[in-house]
Amino acid sequence: MGPGDSTDFTLNLGMAKNNEEGSWKPQTVAVTPPNETTALTLKWPWGPLIHQDGATHPTTFVNPIG
């Protein structure tokens, strides 16, 4: 990729209800653009997520980029 190029990706989020047992809410999300080594840190704009430690089929993941 070069300057001015763009890419896309999909975030799949396992959303939880506010104060749901086993949920957690991130404060920030870090994104590292393609061909970069420095992550951008953004405020988390969505609600709480399902806690998935040890999940064999997690519901929160990023699809392939491109």
Side-chain angles (χ1 to χ4, degrees):
M1 295 191 68
D5 287 346
S6 64
T7 191
D8 61 10
F9 60 94
T10 303
L11 293 173
N12 296 280
L13 302 175
M15 302 301 293
K17 294 178 182 172
N18 283 328
N19 301 315
E20 182 176 332
E21 184 176 341
S23 69
W24 66 288
K25 184 176 179 184
Q27 296 297 310
T28 60
V29 59
V31 179
T32 305
N35 300 324
E36 297 289 335
T37 57
T38 302
L40 305 170
T41 302
L42 309 168
K43 184 177 175 183
W44 183 256
W46 303 290
L49 299 172
I50 299 168
H51 194 267
Q52 299 177 76
D53 280 1
T56 56
H57 300 286
T59 58
T60 297
F61 59 92
V62 177
N63 281 349
I65 297 173

